[in-house]
Amino acid sequence: MFTLGIDFGTNSVRALVVRCADGEEMGSAVFNYPSGHQGVLLDPKDHNLARQFPGDYLVGLEKSVKGALAAAAKKRGFSRDKVIGIGVDTTGSSPIPVDAKNRPLALDPKWRKNLNAQCWLWKDHTSLNESSQITELSSHLRPQYIAKCGNTYSSEWFWSKVLHCLRVAPDVFDAAYSWVELADWIPSVLGGVEKPERITRGVCCAGHKALYSDEWGGLPDKEFLGRLDPKLAALRDRLYEKAYDATTAAGKLSYAWAEKLGLQPNLPIAIGEMDVHYGAIGCGVAEGVLVKVIGTSTCDCGVVSADQMIRDIPGICGIVKGAILPGFYGIEAGQSAVGDIFKWWVEVVCGGDAGLHAELTKEAARQKPGQSGLLALDWNNGNRTVLVDPLLTGLLLGQTLYTTKAEIYRALIEATAFGARAILERIKEYEVPVQRIVCAGGIAEKNPMLMQIYADITGCTMQVSGSSQACALGSAISAAVLAGAHKNFPAAQKAMTHVLPKSYRPNSANQKVYDDLYRLYRRVHDAFGGVDRNADLSRVMKDLLVIKHAARR
Amino acid sequence: MFTLGIDFGTNSVRALVVRCADGEEMGSAVFNYPSGHQGVLLDPKDHNLARQFPGDYLVGLEKSVKGALAAAAKKRGFSRDKVIGIGVDTTGSSPIPVDAKNRPLALDPKWRKNLNAQCWLWKDHTSLNESSQITELSSHLRPQYIAKCGNTYSSEWFWSKVLHCLRVAPDVFDAAYSWVELADWIPSVLGGVEKPERITRGVCCAGHKALYSDEWGGLPDKEFLGRLDPKLAALRDRLYEKAYDATTAAGKLSYAWAEKLGLQPNLPIAIGEMDVHYGAIGCGVAEGVLVKVIGTSTCDCGVVSADQMIRDIPGICGIVKGAILPGFYGIEAGQSAVGDIFKWWVEVVCGGDAGLHAELTKEAARQKPGQSGLLALDWNNGNRTVLVDPLLTGLLLGQTLYTTKAEIYRALIEATAFGARAILERIKEYEVPVQRIVCAGGIAEKNPMLMQIYADITGCTMQVSGSSQACALGSAISAAVLAGAHKNFPAAQKAMTHVLPKSYRPNSANQKVYDDLYRLYRRVHDAFGGVDRNADLSRVMKDLLVIKHAARR
């Protein structure tokens, strides 16, 4: 038996055919979104804007699935009629304005070229003002709403984006009957759902991103929404009352799409989740196992049994029951830029390419911890966790007249690892157990230097996911559980996921140096991040020199 | 009538023939020191080390003077017998260990290859520990000694270097009969002085750099020196009792050198001064006129009439009577790296050359103040004034994923201008009048963008010296006064110096933005510099974004 996992990323969509028995990846195919810059619609006048053309999703859905099935067909033992379910994951929060027939406005020629009528991609930050307003209102009127997302509502999330659209493009807002997260919309398309009210919404996206919780009866109440804008309160009736975890099916494959894809009709379709959540499942997330997806940005996912009480964790932006694994609180944290920072340094500043990445990695690998005398903050794209502040920026200090670009490259890697440690320390402080960290993403697979630095800085053994398509794999696992191939998620994960044999253990000598550097990182982090408003930074540069000289000795 | 000015720089020596009547430059010649890297002997194992082979000075002295005379000979009205005096300036503090015959040890084959037997170049920072020890001892035992140099004795200065030599190379120290500043040694060579005791020492180098003052009877007393090392106390007897300003001649041209150079014997030789001090004279320094020599590092020189009392100015490293102009207190401040920071960015980090400097300058010129959202500290080589702390390092903040190398280039230029403003505000606070700033050095002549930024940030009109060889010109002026061609320095400066017609006036719109940025610079400066140990930096990044968005509007 096999299932299909379909992963809608930022630049492309990937479909993967997986064997339920052991997670063997039978075939996959990738389709790059043709619109905009690498699939993203940009506005040269506004760096904060990032949209996506929904038509690309439909073409990509068909092409990637057909490609994956064709690839699988070359493998012994596979046949299309043995595909028993479909799972979907996407970026998020990426809401799409749709009409009353569940069609994205942007598919209508009238709105085709309107940036506000497209899918509002997760990394769109145009709604900074709206997110502040929601945070402000919530902290006074409904503090419980944002207590589960670090007391700060983000410009990346559902209500900020919808409210911003209402303000800058009222025509688009008025034309939209409802708004649907991409993760919910794709399953609804496959299931032939033609009314937004009939979409089965996942709690994963609804969770903190739309401020949904069973504790307060679903979405934010109308009084709250009305204080933001009466039209937002009116929209609530055209959204949803209830959101579901992955034990509920999103629907069944429609005849039209079954025919298009060459699959059996009525196949169960798993609930849509965000890529990192199904990615976490594909990496084997469990109590005590933190999953870290390291890409352009980073997402950390952990789970804690829903049987026990969990306190709200300051600065941790998502604690939602069932958001990742049914029966567990999902805990989500993240760094707004990781790979993007390295890319910025190598490509934007140094004007290099993959060759320079490789060269700097090689040079940086020869350096000892602390040897450069440098310290950086990993905030070039703001700080998602634990400060939840998109208005923070990067910082580099300790440079002399001899500082090289490879030293800065390493300092930036270290900065992201310090950021990772800050998250880890925060969740451990709130009794979320972490025994192992499993990483996924290209950087984890390809950069042993970075992985060793992460191990040395966090003091945790780092493992690498056995699948380089963990998100799609997680979607396929969800489909396999739903279709009954495994009795539950832990059993499916045990059978279908694994880690690579090579793991990275902390080197105790390096750990010692990095503990010292981390203390300095925290001092600068807390000073510029607003945690410590009476910071004594007078020794930071000198302490760095002491560490530097010790490392060079 | 004509005089010769000879300027011993870091990489080369330049001789200049000047007409006394109007400062017309008749001819010049440059000789690049052949030893080491661009004339500097380095130690690959120790970035702090910078020495120079004294033999290079002798060859360079002869070649540069002969070249300048030959060039002048092509001009109408010049003849060698009309040369009436010689002036010399050099880098400093650059002490040389010499034997009892006033010969540098390094000219003896026995010591030829020994780095500690060479001239200890001004920018040698190997004696950091010794400078701290001298500061420490002085603050307890003789606070007056360091009150005139910002309460901090520098590793760049005489006693730090000599004490360090004593510790790391006692054989060299023991072999040296005395130590002579390069600025004193060159005139003594020209004058045929064969005993170190007979050298006429200038107060310019003796001043704060050797802790000399008539107030306490010359050099530091033996008790003080003995507490550092008994051998240092013993050395005091082989140094000097009295140092002189530029009204005293250093000597007369010896027959041997007169013959070698093709000049009249017995020509008066002006007292040797440090390059920046004679440079200040060549730029027209006077009460109310601050001179700024902008090169790899920057030196600011001002004067205040010796008739009035002057308070010690915290962080200002040299307040010495007669150090620049006779009859005035000389006030010296500086930034440890300016051009060197731009060079570091373009050449060391970005791997570019002069072409990239030009390209980045062009791009940076298109940016508006504040537009990049960046803020930098100009401390890649420590901070000379007003913090007097060589253990500070560089800092850059505000970077996003879009920050370009040209934006960083401009931020580094602005950082050096903020550093210049910090100096200016400090000396004005202590009632040193500044009506105009005259700049010298290649950067001032070639980079109008930088000059405008300096005007906008300091709020002062910036002028550029009419001579691109201001140091050599100042030496020639000193020789002209000594030889009687003018009745005093102000008269000689009036006749022999001028500024370029193009001056840079502050643009009031830019000034306003830079005032805001300077406040943020000071906040970060004071926090990391140890001035404010309860710094609130929580708004710095956000305030930068506010400025950035306003600039982009």
Side-chain angles (χ1 to χ4, degrees):
Chain A
M1 297 299 151
F2 305 90
T3 50
L4 251 174
I6 314 171
D7 166 41
F8 287 80
T10 300
N11 312 110
S12 61
V13 47
R14 170 190 300 276
L16 177 70
V17 177
V18 181
R19 185 159 62 202
C20 298
D22 59 0
E24 175 75 13
E25 298 176 1
M26 308 298 289
S28 74
V30 174
F31 174 82
N32 295 312
Y33 306 137
S35 305
H37 177 72
Q38 301 184 343
V40 182
L41 308 177
L42 302 173
D43 180 351
K45 291 191 296 274
D46 185 358
H47 278 149
N48 286 320
L49 188 143
R51 307 280 157 86
Q52 219 151 35
F53 175 54
D56 289 356
Y57 302 139
L58 296 177
V59 181
L61 175 60
E62 181 175 348
K63 296 223 171 178
S64 64
V65 170
K66 281 183 171 169
L69 290 171
K74 294 178 191 151
K75 289 267 182 82
R76 186 204 296 258
F78 175 81
S79 71
R80 282 159 185 265
D81 55 355
K82 290 185 185 163
V83 174
I84 59 171
I86 301 174
V88 173
D89 66 271
T90 75
T91 66
S93 168
S94 300
I96 309 171
V98 297
D99 64 16
K101 291 182 177 165
N102 195 25
R103 275 175 58 89
L105 293 189
L107 299 185
D108 179 338
K110 180 180 170 193
W111 301 108
R112 175 68 186 85
K113 294 287 172 200
N114 189 315
L115 281 172
N116 298 309
Q118 313 295 321
C119 177
W120 290 50
L121 196 58
W122 65 278
K123 64 177 175 177
D124 185 289
H125 288 119
T126 51
S127 52
L128 272 170
N129 290 338
E130 287 76 11
S131 64
S132 304
Q133 200 193 335
I134 293 169
T135 299
E136 180 73 12
L137 179 67
S138 175
S139 67
H140 290 106
L141 201 64
R142 302 281 188 271
Q144 67 273 30
Y145 286 179
I146 54 169
K148 297 198 184 309
C149 53
N151 286 316
T152 309
Y153 195 75
S154 166
S155 66
E156 292 188 1
W157 299 342
F158 185 82
W159 292 111
S160 301
K161 286 170 169 166
V162 175
L163 181 56
H164 187 66
C165 179
L166 194 165
R167 290 197 175 140
V168 299
D171 53 343
V172 170
F173 183 88
D174 290 340
Y177 176 79
S178 188
W179 289 72
V180 190
E181 283 285 348
L182 177 56
D184 295 327
W185 187 71
I186 299 289
S188 79
V189 166
L190 288 170
V193 177
E194 289 182 351
K195 288 195 175 173
E197 293 90 338
R198 299 220 180 128
I199 299 171
T200 307
R201 312 267 188 156
V203 75
C204 162
C205 288
H208 62 281
K209 292 193 164 67
L211 296 175
Y212 173 98
S213 175
D214 289 336
E215 283 179 33
W216 51 79
L219 292 170
D221 59 62
K222 283 193 172 183
E223 184 196 347
F224 178 84
L225 295 174
R227 291 278 279 272
L228 295 168
D229 195 295
K231 286 186 175 178
L232 226 47
L235 173 66
R236 191 186 191 281
D237 291 333
R238 307 193 303 275
L239 291 169
Y240 49 93
E241 287 298 322
K242 177 87 186 139
Y244 301 88
D245 72 18
T247 54
T248 300
K252 292 179 175 181
L253 189 64
S254 70
Y255 282 85
W257 274 92
E259 191 177 334
K260 203 177 289 188
L261 300 176
L263 290 170
Q264 304 291 328
N266 290 318
L267 287 180
I269 302 165
I271 211 97
E273 286 201 7
M274 280 187 303
D275 41 17
V276 287
H277 288 184
Y278 273 152
I281 289 175
C283 291
V285 71
E287 223 171 19
V289 181
L290 186 80
V291 168
K292 202 173 185 65
V293 182
I294 308 179
T296 54
S297 62
T298 292
C299 195
D300 296 16
C301 293
V303 295
V304 177
S305 168
D307 299 337
Q308 60 189 84
M309 287 291 295
I310 184 161
R311 286 184 290 165
D312 295 329
I313 309 177
I316 298 295
C317 55
I319 305 174
V320 177
K321 201 168 169 176
I324 301 176
L325 274 182
F328 292 83
Y329 285 105
I331 292 166
E332 189 188 333
Q335 292 169 267
S336 333
V338 173
D340 269 351
I341 296 184
F342 315 147
K343 198 177 155 94
W344 161 72
W345 181 248
V346 171
E347 300 175 22
V348 180
V349 177
C350 298
D353 53 11
L356 185 58
H357 270 287
E359 189 189 309
L360 295 184
T361 300
K362 214 167 135 188
E363 274 186 60
R366 282 197 290 266
Q367 296 162 27
K368 282 185 273 181
Q371 179 190 305
S372 70
L374 296 173
L375 184 69
L377 293 179
D378 50 323
W379 297 350
N380 288 47
N381 195 24
N383 177 295
R384 195 179 298 156
T385 316
V386 297
L387 298 169
V388 202
D389 189 343
L391 294 178
L392 296 173
T393 50
L395 183 148
L396 175 71
L397 73 90
Q399 48 272 41
T400 68
L401 296 172
Y402 304 98
T403 300
T404 66
K405 55 171 161 288
E407 288 174 327
I408 296 174
Y409 187 69
R410 184 172 171 121
L412 294 172
I413 291 175
E414 291 168 345
T416 65
F418 291 137
R421 176 165 166 172
I423 293 173
L424 210 57
E425 293 197 343
R426 177 61 55 88
I427 62 173
K428 282 179 166 179
E429 195 186 325
Y430 283 77
E431 289 143 42
V432 175
V434 178
Q435 274 102 40
R436 287 189 292 133
I437 299 180
V438 178
C439 298
I443 292 177
E445 289 166 28
K446 289 176 206 150
N447 198 326
M449 173 189 66
L450 177 139
M451 291 299 289
Q452 186 61 49
I453 289 174
Y454 271 58
D456 292 342
I457 286 181
T458 60
C460 282
T461 294
M462 309 291 282
Q463 296 179 310
V464 180
S465 164
S467 173
S468 53
Q469 305 168 29
C471 300
L473 174 60
S475 297
I477 289 172
S478 186
V481 175
L482 185 70
H486 293 284
K487 68 174 194 292
N488 55 25
F489 277 91
Q493 286 178 295
K494 192 167 180 218
M496 297 174 72
T497 74
H498 64 287
V499 296
L500 295 183
K502 161 90 181 154
S503 68
Y504 300 85
R505 281 170 219 290
N507 166 310
S508 62
N510 292 350
Q511 260 184 288
K512 221 164 150 309
V513 178
Y514 280 133
D515 283 349
D516 289 341
L517 284 170
Y518 180 70
R519 270 190 286 277
L520 297 176
Y521 171 88
R522 277 312 293 239
R523 197 169 301 169
V524 178
H525 171 285
D526 290 357
F528 284 94
V531 177
D532 178 3
R533 295 185 183 212
N534 298 288
D536 182 358
L537 299 175
S538 62
R539 294 285 318 164
V540 170
M541 289 173 176
K542 291 169 172 57
D543 289 349
L544 278 173
L545 287 178
V546 171
I547 294 169
K548 172 177 177 170
H549 292 142
R552 285 174 187 239
R553 224 178 278 130
Chain B
M1 297 300 150
F2 305 90
T3 51
L4 250 174
I6 314 171
D7 166 40
F8 287 80
T10 301
N11 312 112
S12 61
V13 48
R14 169 189 302 275
L16 177 71
V17 178
V18 179
R19 186 158 64 202
C20 298
D22 59 1
E24 175 75 15
E25 298 175 1
M26 307 298 287
S28 74
V30 174
F31 174 81
N32 295 313
Y33 306 138
S35 306
H37 176 72
Q38 300 183 343
V40 182
L41 309 177
L42 303 173
D43 180 351
K45 289 191 299 273
D46 184 359
H47 279 149
N48 286 320
L49 188 143
R51 308 281 156 84
Q52 219 152 36
F53 175 54
D56 288 356
Y57 302 137
L58 296 175
V59 180
L61 175 60
E62 182 174 349
K63 296 223 170 179
S64 64
V65 170
K66 281 182 169 169
L69 291 169
K74 294 178 191 149
K75 290 269 182 80
R76 186 203 296 258
F78 175 82
S79 70
R80 281 159 185 266
D81 57 353
K82 290 185 185 162
V83 174
I84 60 170
I86 300 174
V88 174
D89 66 88
T90 74
T91 66
S93 169
S94 300
I96 308 171
V98 298
D99 64 17
K101 291 180 176 167
N102 195 26
R103 276 175 57 89
L105 293 189
L107 298 184
D108 180 338
K110 181 181 170 192
W111 302 108
R112 175 70 185 84
K113 294 287 171 202
N114 189 316
L115 282 172
N116 298 309
Q118 313 295 322
C119 176
W120 290 50
L121 194 59
W122 66 278
K123 65 176 174 177
D124 185 289
H125 288 120
T126 50
S127 52
L128 272 170
N129 289 339
E130 288 76 11
S131 64
S132 304
Q133 200 194 336
I134 293 169
T135 299
E136 179 73 12
L137 179 67
S138 175
S139 67
H140 290 108
L141 202 64
R142 303 281 187 272
Q144 67 274 30
Y145 286 181
I146 54 169
K148 295 196 187 309
C149 51
N151 287 316
T152 309
Y153 194 75
S154 165
S155 65
E156 292 189 1
W157 298 343
F158 185 81
W159 292 112
S160 301
K161 286 169 169 166
V162 175
L163 182 55
H164 187 67
C165 178
L166 195 165
R167 290 195 176 144
V168 299
D171 53 344
V172 172
F173 183 88
D174 290 340
Y177 176 78
S178 189
W179 288 73
V180 190
E181 282 285 348
L182 176 56
D184 294 328
W185 188 71
I186 300 288
S188 80
V189 166
L190 288 171
V193 177
E194 290 182 349
K195 287 194 175 173
E197 293 90 337
R198 298 221 179 128
I199 299 171
T200 307
R201 312 268 188 153
V203 76
C204 161
C205 288
H208 62 280
K209 292 194 166 62
L211 296 176
Y212 173 99
S213 176
D214 289 338
E215 283 179 31
W216 50 80
L219 292 172
D221 60 62
K222 284 193 171 182
E223 185 196 345
F224 178 84
L225 295 174
R227 291 276 279 273
L228 294 168
D229 195 297
K231 286 185 175 178
L232 224 49
L235 173 65
R236 190 187 193 280
D237 291 332
R238 307 192 305 274
L239 292 169
Y240 51 94
E241 287 298 323
K242 178 89 187 139
Y244 302 88
D245 72 18
T247 55
T248 300
K252 294 179 173 181
L253 190 63
S254 70
Y255 282 84
W257 274 92
E259 193 177 331
K260 202 178 289 190
L261 300 176
L263 290 169
Q264 306 290 329
N266 290 319
L267 287 181
I269 303 165
I271 210 96
E273 286 201 6
M274 279 188 302
D275 41 17
V276 287
H277 288 184
Y278 273 153
I281 289 176
C283 290
V285 71
E287 223 170 18
V289 180
L290 186 80
V291 168
K292 201 171 185 68
V293 183
I294 308 179
T296 54
S297 62
T298 291
C299 194
D300 295 16
C301 292
V303 295
V304 177
S305 168
D307 299 339
Q308 59 188 85
M309 286 294 293
I310 182 161
R311 286 185 289 164
D312 296 328
I313 309 179
I316 297 294
C317 56
I319 304 173
V320 177
K321 203 168 168 173
I324 301 176
L325 273 182
F328 292 83
Y329 285 104
I331 291 167
E332 190 189 333
Q335 293 168 265
S336 333
V338 174
D340 269 352
I341 295 184
F342 316 147
K343 199 177 153 94
W344 162 72
W345 181 247
V346 171
E347 299 175 21
V348 180
V349 178
C350 298
D353 53 11
L356 185 59
H357 270 287
E359 187 189 310
L360 295 185
T361 300
K362 215 166 135 188
E363 275 185 60
R366 282 196 291 266
Q367 296 161 27
K368 283 185 274 182
Q371 180 189 304
S372 70
L374 295 174
L375 184 70
L377 293 179
D378 50 322
W379 297 351
N380 288 47
N381 196 25
N383 177 296
R384 196 180 296 155
T385 314
V386 296
L387 297 169
V388 202
D389 189 344
L391 294 178
L392 296 173
T393 51
L395 183 147
L396 176 71
L397 73 90
Q399 48 272 41
T400 68
L401 295 172
Y402 304 98
T403 301
T404 67
K405 55 170 162 290
E407 288 174 328
I408 295 174
Y409 187 69
R410 183 172 173 123
L412 294 172
I413 291 175
E414 291 168 346
T416 65
F418 291 136
R421 177 164 167 173
I423 293 172
L424 209 57
E425 294 197 342
R426 177 61 55 88
I427 64 175
K428 282 178 164 176
E429 192 186 328
Y430 283 78
E431 288 143 42
V432 175
V434 178
Q435 275 101 40
R436 286 190 293 133
I437 299 180
V438 178
C439 298
I443 291 177
E445 289 166 28
K446 289 176 208 151
N447 198 327
M449 172 189 66
L450 177 139
M451 291 300 287
Q452 188 59 50
I453 289 174
Y454 270 61
D456 292 341
I457 286 181
T458 61
C460 281
T461 294
M462 309 291 283
Q463 296 178 310
V464 181
S465 164
S467 172
S468 53
Q469 305 169 29
C471 300
L473 174 61
S475 297
I477 289 172
S478 185
V481 176
L482 185 69
H486 294 283
K487 69 174 191 292
N488 56 25
F489 277 92
Q493 287 177 292
K494 192 169 181 217
M496 297 173 74
T497 73
H498 64 287
V499 296
L500 295 183
K502 161 88 183 155
S503 68
Y504 300 84
R505 281 170 219 289
N507 167 308
S508 62
N510 292 350
Q511 260 185 286
K512 222 166 150 305
V513 179
Y514 280 134
D515 283 348
D516 290 340
L517 283 171
Y518 180 69
R519 270 190 286 276
L520 297 177
Y521 172 87
R522 276 313 292 241
R523 197 169 303 167
V524 178
H525 172 286
D526 290 357
F528 284 94
V531 177
D532 178 2
R533 296 186 182 209
N534 298 288
D536 182 358
L537 299 174
S538 62
R539 293 287 317 165
V540 170
M541 289 174 175
K542 291 168 171 58
D543 289 349
L544 278 173
L545 287 179
V546 171
I547 294 169
K548 172 178 178 169
H549 293 142
R552 284 173 187 241
R553 226 179 277 134

